[in-house]
Structures are given as C-alpha cells and as structure tokens.
C-alpha cells in the first residue's frame, strides 16, 4: 500500500464528502421548505414543531448508536478484507433496526403529550407539537432501517446510492409539503399534521428505494436470512461503539430541552425563534458535517489496515476543511441573520428574537467544527466514549449556570446564548485533549502492526 501525501488524503476526503454534501444540501432544502410552510401557520405552529422536533434528537441518538457502530465495524472489516464479517455486521444491524424502530414507534405515541407539557406552557403550542409528533412518528421509526442500510454502504466506501435515495426523499417531501401543509391543489390544508405526514411518506419512499438497491444491485453486503437471527456478541460490539455516540445526541436533546424550559417565560415568540433558528443552523452546517461523515470511514479503513500515519493526516485534512466551511457559514449567518430568519418567521417579535439568537450563536460554529472533526475520528477509531465525555462536560457547563440563572429570575435571554457559546468552546477543548490521548494510546500499536 503506497503512501499518500496530505493533498491526496484531502482529495480522498473531498471525493467521499462531495456526494454526501450534495445529499445533505438537499436535506437542508427539505428543512427550509418545511420551515417556510410551517412559518406561514404562525408563531404557535412554529414553536410547537420546534419543540416537537427537538424530541427527534432522541430518535437520532438511537439511530446514531446503530449507524456509528455499523460504519465502524464494517469499515474496519473492509480494511482487513474480511467480507464475511462485514456481511454479518450488516445483517445484525438490520435486525436491530427493525426491533428498535418498532419500540420507538410505540413509546413515542405514549410519551408525546407528556414531553410537550414539560417544556411548554402554552396550550396552542403543546397541541401543535403533539399533532406533529403523532404524524411524524412512523417516519422516525423508519429512520432505523434507512440508517442501517446507508451506514453499511458508507462503511464499504459507497455513498452514491444513499445520495440518490436522499434526493428522492427530499423531492417527494418538497412536493408534498405545500400540498399537505398548505392545501395546494387539494384545498384541504392539514397544517402541522401535514408537515409530519409529508416527512413520513418521503421517508417510507426512501426506505423502499434503498431496499430495492440492496435487493438488486449491492454485492459486497446483502440480506441473508441465516444471519438475521440475533447474535448477542455482534449486538454487543455494535452497541459498545455506538452507544457513546448515541449518547451525544441524547445530550443534545437534553441541552435543547433545557433551553426551551429556560426561555418559556419569554413567551411563544422566543420559543418559535429558537426553534426556527436552530432548524436553520442545522441545515446550514450540513456540508461541514458531510466532511466529518466522510472522514469517519476513511479513518476506520486505515486504522483497520494499521496505517497510523494516514489516520493522523486524515485528521489534519478534515480539521482544515471543516473549520474553513464553518468560518464561512458563521460569517454568512452573522451578517444575514435578519434576512435568514425573515424568510420563515412573519411575526416581528419572533424575528427580533431570531436575529439575536443567530448572531450570537454563530460564534459557536468554529468550536462546533472542531467537535465534528474529533467525533468523526473517534468513530473511525472505534471508540466513541471520548465524544460522549466531552458532550457531558458541555452539558454540565451549560445546565448548572442556566438553572442558577432561572432560579434568580429577571435575566435577559441573551445570557442563555452566552452560556451556550462558552460551553461549546469548553467541549471543543476537551475533545482535542481526549483525541490527543487516543492518538498516543492507540496509533502506536497500529503503526507497529503495519511494520
């Protein structure tokens, strides 16, 4: 295996990231289209969907458990040229996806109302969020099968089929959103229920399309009934890698839930602004996340092959690319905050809160880029516990002062954003320190193996 220069590794990351980024850009368009039509329904709908959408972080936490574990184990198996191992992991991942998806569907319906009541005091906002969750919950359950199949492909270095499926999903959602939410053509607007239903139908189409690809075209890994029977050892391996990564998303849910709780006395407008602003930010940072997603499997393959030099080079290249993207996004958000939030919120108070939130939170982006990079390396190395630890540090650094602030009363909402910025930079520093420790402990043995 010949050595690769830093430039060659950077090009490899970009080659992997480009189709992922395209898919994520279209995913961002889905976010924005959905947000536009929900914004037309008013502040209560915007706040309700924002609060309800935060609950999706819990589902994302579980899909992350499945996806990260699958990518890490399959990519390392590919690096060792062990096709049988890769195929076993895929089938076990798919069975986990089916079982956990069903459990999420049942629990989600049972807990939706209790969650909404816990973070909002406005009855109209609670009703909107509950309705949205009821129609979106089947789509969230379908995410598990989609993530299992997409992660298996990404672990083998194949990203184009997942990209095509993502594009299909976004196109379907973009068509259905105005029809179901606003009642275009039908004359029967469903409001927030239509937003949830549009997402569910588009995800169902995506799962069907990716399943067709696996059934007809995928040859490296595929469905084998004899490999679907639960194997506790493989489940344990997937969960050991994935659980800490999933814990990151669970902590993100708690982080946002604390914010919704802390600002609820500022009214529906403040919660609507935070929900819309957060959704905007999620869409705008997706290209940087695409680079991180691409770096993970490359790290895993080179680590599995015992190439410590390439692992280090990949980290440097990914950090540079992601930081550059995040700086550009931060500048655009800061200077165009009014225009961005104005597209999706018509209420003047919502816009004012939204501009303040976006301009302050844009200072987070550079630190978030460092966090994304470190998390992708941890995933590739097959040990996501450090990422969970850094996320826990951030949560504690944020929650403790915010709870003290709320207890004092009479605080300004921007103080919450200041604490968020500070806690994010703390997490970035902790992530770098933990990654340095991982490199010193794990790459030397890998380098020795290569020799």
């Amino acid at each position: 295996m010949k050595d690769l220069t830093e430039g060659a590794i950077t090009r490899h990351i970009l080659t992997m990231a480009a189709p992922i980024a395209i898919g994520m850009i279209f995913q961002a368009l889905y976010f924005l289209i959905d947000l536009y039509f929900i914004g037309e329904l008013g502040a209560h709908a915007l706040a309700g969907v924002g609060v309800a959408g935060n609950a999706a972080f819990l589902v994302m936490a579980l899909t992350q458990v499945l996806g990260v574990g699958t990518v890490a184990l399959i990519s390392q198996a590919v690096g060792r040229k062990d096709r049988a191992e890769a195929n076993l992991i895929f089938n076990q991942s798919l069975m986990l996806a089916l079982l956990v998806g069903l459990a999420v569907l049942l629990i989600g319906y049972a807990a939706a109302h209790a969650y909404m009541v816990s973070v909002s005091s406005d009855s109209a906002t609670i009703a909107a969020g509950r309705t949205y969750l009821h129609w979106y919950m089947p789509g969230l359950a379908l995410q598990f099968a989609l993530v299992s199949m997409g992660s298996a492909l990404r672990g083998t270095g194949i990203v184009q089929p997942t990209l095509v499926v993502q594009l299909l999903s976004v196109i379907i959602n973009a068509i259905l959103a105005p029809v179901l939410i606003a009642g275009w053509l039908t004359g029967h607007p469903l409001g927030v229920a239509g937003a949830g239903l549009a997402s569910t139908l588009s995800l169902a189409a995506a799962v069907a399309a990716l399943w067709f690809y696996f059934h007809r075209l995928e040859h490296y890994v595929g469905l084998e009934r004899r490999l679907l029977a639960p194997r506790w050892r493989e489940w344990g391996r997937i969960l050991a890698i994935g659980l800490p990564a999933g814990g990151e998303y669970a902590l993100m849910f708690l982080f946002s839930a604390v914010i919704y709780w802390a600002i609820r006395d500022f009214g529906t407008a403040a919660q609507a602004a935070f929900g819309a602003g957060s959704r905007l930010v999620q869409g705008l940072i997706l290209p940087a996340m695409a680079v991180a997603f691409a770096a993970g499997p490359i790290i895993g393959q080179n680590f599995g092959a015992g190439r410590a030099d390439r692992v280090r080079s990949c980290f440097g290249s990914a950090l540079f690319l992601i930081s550059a993207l995040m700086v550009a996004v931060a500048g655009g958000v800061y200077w165009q905050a009014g225009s961005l939030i104005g597209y999706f919120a018509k209420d003047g108070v919502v816009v004012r809160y939204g501009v303040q939130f976006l301009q302050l939170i844009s200072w987070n982006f550079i630190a978030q880029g460092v966090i994304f990079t470190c998390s992708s390396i941890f995933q590739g190395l097959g040990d996501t516990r450090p990422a969970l630890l850094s996320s826990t540090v951030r949560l504690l650094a944020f929650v403790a002062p915010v709870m003290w602030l709320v207890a004092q009363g009479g605080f300004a909402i921007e103080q919450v954003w200041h604490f968020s910025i500070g806690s994010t930079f703390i997490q970035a520093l902790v992530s770098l320190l933990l990654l340095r420790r991982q490199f010193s402990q794990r790459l030397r043995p890998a380098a020795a193996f290569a020799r």
Side-chain angles (χ1 to χ4, degrees):
M1 187 182 292
K2 67 179 183 179
D3 291 334
L4 295 178
T5 65
E6 189 83 23
I9 290 175
T10 300
R11 288 193 293 273
H12 190 190
I13 294 174
L14 288 174
T15 299
M16 284 281 290
I20 298 174
I22 293 172
M24 285 189 161
I25 288 171
F26 277 88
Q27 187 72 15
L29 290 177
Y30 148 67
F31 278 140
L32 299 179
I33 291 170
D34 216 32
L35 186 59
Y36 175 82
F37 285 102
I38 293 170
E40 292 289 312
L41 300 176
H44 291 292
L46 197 59
V49 172
V51 175
N54 182 54
F57 274 122
L58 283 179
V59 176
M60 289 176 65
L62 294 173
T63 60
Q64 189 79 345
V65 171
L66 187 68
V68 170
T70 301
V71 168
L73 292 176
I74 289 181
S75 65
Q76 291 179 17
V78 170
R80 295 191 301 269
K81 303 186 185 304
D82 190 346
R83 181 178 176 184
E85 172 76 4
N87 202 39
L88 173 62
I89 294 299
F90 166 64
N91 280 270
Q92 291 299 301
S93 170
L94 193 59
M95 176 55 66
L96 269 173
L98 296 175
L99 295 177
V100 177
L102 179 60
V104 164
L105 183 65
L106 298 176
I107 295 171
Y109 278 124
H113 179 73
Y115 163 70
M116 289 300 304
V117 170
S118 69
V119 292
S120 180
S121 58
D122 179 79
S123 59
T125 299
I126 292 170
R130 185 177 62 245
T131 299
Y132 176 75
L133 279 176
H134 281 179
W135 288 94
Y136 187 30
M137 199 57 66
L140 291 175
L142 287 170
Q143 289 271 23
F144 291 93
L146 195 62
V147 166
S148 177
M149 291 185 284
S151 297
L153 291 176
R154 191 153 57 93
T156 62
I158 300 173
V159 295
Q160 287 82 2
T162 307
L163 166 63
V164 173
V165 166
Q166 285 180 321
L167 297 183
L168 172 66
S169 174
V170 170
I171 290 171
I172 292 174
N173 195 285
I175 294 171
L176 292 178
V179 174
L180 296 177
I181 298 173
W184 288 15
L185 301 179
T186 66
H188 296 286
L190 300 178
V192 292
L197 179 59
S199 296
T200 291
L201 292 175
S202 64
L203 286 166
V207 169
L210 201 54
W211 178 255
F212 176 82
Y213 173 85
F214 266 89
H215 184 63
R216 293 294 182 91
L217 301 173
E218 173 57 24
H219 302 296
Y220 195 87
V221 295
L223 177 67
E224 293 188 31
R225 291 184 180 179
R226 65 183 182 85
L227 298 179
L228 287 173
R231 301 195 183 187
W232 310 118
R233 178 178 178 272
E234 275 61 45
W235 284 21
R237 294 173 64 201
I238 293 172
L239 295 176
I241 296 174
L243 276 172
E248 284 189 82
Y249 278 86
L251 292 179
M252 289 170 64
F253 160 77
L254 291 174
F255 191 92
S256 295
V258 168
I259 291 179
Y260 276 116
W261 169 78
I263 68 174
R264 63 180 182 174
D265 288 341
F266 287 90
T268 299
Q271 289 194 325
F274 172 63
S278 297
R279 208 172 176 94
L280 268 171
V281 168
Q282 289 171 22
L284 293 172
I285 65 176
L286 285 177
M289 292 181 68
V291 176
F293 285 158
I298 295 173
I299 291 289
Q301 290 171 13
N302 284 290
F303 182 69
R307 295 305 305 264
D309 55 334
R310 292 187 180 180
V311 171
R312 293 181 184 275
S313 295
C314 186
F315 166 66
S317 298
L319 182 61
F320 172 77
L321 292 170
I322 292 173
S323 297
L325 285 169
M326 293 300 273
V327 168
V329 173
V333 169
Y334 185 86
W335 294 110
Q336 298 298 321
S339 300
L340 288 171
I341 199 70
Y343 282 121
F344 309 105
K346 310 308 176 185
D347 184 281
V349 181
V350 175
V351 171
R352 178 168 59 82
Y353 276 123
V355 169
Q356 182 187 61
F357 168 75
L358 288 175
Q359 288 187 332
L360 287 174
I361 219 68
S362 64
W363 292 97
N364 262 350
F365 289 4
I366 297 173
Q368 284 182 327
V370 174
I371 294 166
F372 291 159
T373 307
C374 292
S375 292
S376 70
I377 307 304
F378 292 138
Q379 291 172 21
L381 294 176
D383 186 359
T384 54
R385 291 174 298 175
L388 176 60
L389 177 58
S390 70
S391 295
T392 302
V393 170
R394 180 196 179 194
L395 182 67
L396 295 175
F398 174 75
V399 170
V402 166
M403 293 185 71
W404 173 85
L405 196 67
V406 173
Q408 300 305 305
F411 63 95
I413 195 171
E414 57 265 29
Q415 291 177 273
V416 177
W417 313 141
H418 290 154
F419 283 128
S420 174
I421 294 168
S423 65
T424 304
F425 275 89
I426 290 172
Q427 182 184 1
L429 177 60
V430 172
S431 294
L432 287 171
L433 292 174
L434 292 173
L435 183 61
R436 181 180 178 182
R437 182 181 179 186
Q438 284 274 301
F439 278 177
S440 67
Q441 292 179 345
R442 307 193 68 196
L443 292 192
R444 288 176 184 172
F449 175 79
R451 288 195 295 270

